[in-house]
Amino acid sequence: MVGVVTPTMGVAFSAHTSLATPFTVTRTESTALDGEQAFTVYCSQARAVLSNREATMRYLAPKRASNLFNDLAKWLTARGISLLGSRVLAVRGRKSGEIRTTVVNLFTHEGERYLLAPRGHTQWVRNLRAAGEGELRLGRRSEPFTAVEVADADKPPLIRLYLRKWAWETGAFFDGLKAGSPEADLVAAAPGFPVFRIVTR
């Protein structure tokens, strides 16, 4: 993150500023801040950005029981037995360069297919975001695809549909959200649930 502070500037800062995007502090009051004051405010606002980013980058680590269920679902899916839309997702690791696999739930909404991450910004999400493509496998069948990440504003109906189909399996990961939760609750929670649209290549 890059901050620019000058003797003639006050501070204007948004907690939603991206850490990857340079920002400048702009004049907000007639009396300029001296260097020490400006630096203090800068640090305070930078901490706010980090806190907001942590909240946005929600991630729930899997527990042992969840791992056992996922291992079983992955084993069955790899042998051609889909559990309500399950697929084995294969995507190249963003650091290792090796192909990583995990079981995911594929679903359809208004003619388009999607993947949603109930546990938040998981490793498969970060890998798919970096690679931009992957494969969906069911038994010996493999379907290459391009991934298009869905904007937060477009997620509520997808989250609601996912909960209707798989709340029995993954409901514990949704922080109290239900398929019938108010729209405002789904909108507020959307940044913590990455969603990708599947475009077949």
Side-chain angles (χ1 to χ4, degrees):
M1 187 193 306
V2 177
V4 179
V5 179
T6 72
T8 59
M9 290 181 177
V11 175
F13 193 95
S14 169
H16 300 288
T17 301
S18 169
L19 289 179
T21 304
F23 66 87
T24 60
V25 291
T26 57
R27 186 181 180 87
T28 58
E29 55 187 50
S30 57
T31 303
L33 296 175
D34 63 30
E36 184 176 352
Q37 289 175 313
F39 181 74
T40 299
V41 175
Y42 169 83
C43 290
S44 176
Q45 299 287 16
R47 283 193 294 271
V49 168
L50 290 171
S51 177
N52 180 72
R53 184 173 185 267
E54 288 300 315
T56 301
M57 298 295 283
R58 169 186 172 275
Y59 170 63
L60 300 179
K63 296 181 180 179
R64 188 169 184 272
S66 176
N67 280 334
L68 291 173
F69 179 85
N70 285 342
D71 287 346
L72 175 61
K74 183 177 176 181
W75 187 87
L76 291 170
T77 304
R79 283 153 182 79
I81 304 172
S82 176
L83 303 178
L84 296 176
S86 65
R87 296 290 188 277
V88 173
L89 169 66
V91 62
R92 192 169 299 280
R94 65 194 183 283
K95 295 180 181 179
S96 68
E98 299 176 358
I99 298 298
R100 304 296 188 184
T101 59
T102 189
V103 66
V104 293
N105 291 322
L106 180 68
F107 65 103
T108 302
H109 177 67
E110 296 183 349
E112 300 282 0
R113 296 185 302 161
Y114 298 89
L115 298 177
L116 182 151
R119 293 191 291 106
H121 297 262
T122 60
Q123 293 301 316
W124 75 256
V125 166
R126 298 176 192 212
N127 288 337
L128 187 56
R129 191 176 282 145
E133 61 184 12
E135 290 181 0
L136 291 172
R137 299 173 179 175
L138 179 61
R140 295 182 179 181
R141 289 178 291 170
S142 181
E143 179 184 7
F145 70 91
T146 298
V148 179
E149 189 157 13
V150 175
D152 290 344
D154 298 326
K155 292 178 185 177
L158 302 172
I159 296 173
R160 197 182 298 281
L161 177 58
Y162 191 97
L163 281 165
R164 285 185 182 133
K165 292 176 69 69
W166 289 291
W168 62 273
E169 175 191 346
T170 63
F173 304 139
F174 280 84
D175 304 326
L177 285 177
K178 308 291 183 185
S181 292
E183 187 76 5
D185 291 352
L186 297 177
V187 170
F193 295 93
V195 181
F196 295 90
R197 180 166 58 88
I198 300 303
V199 179
T200 303
R201 297 206 305 264

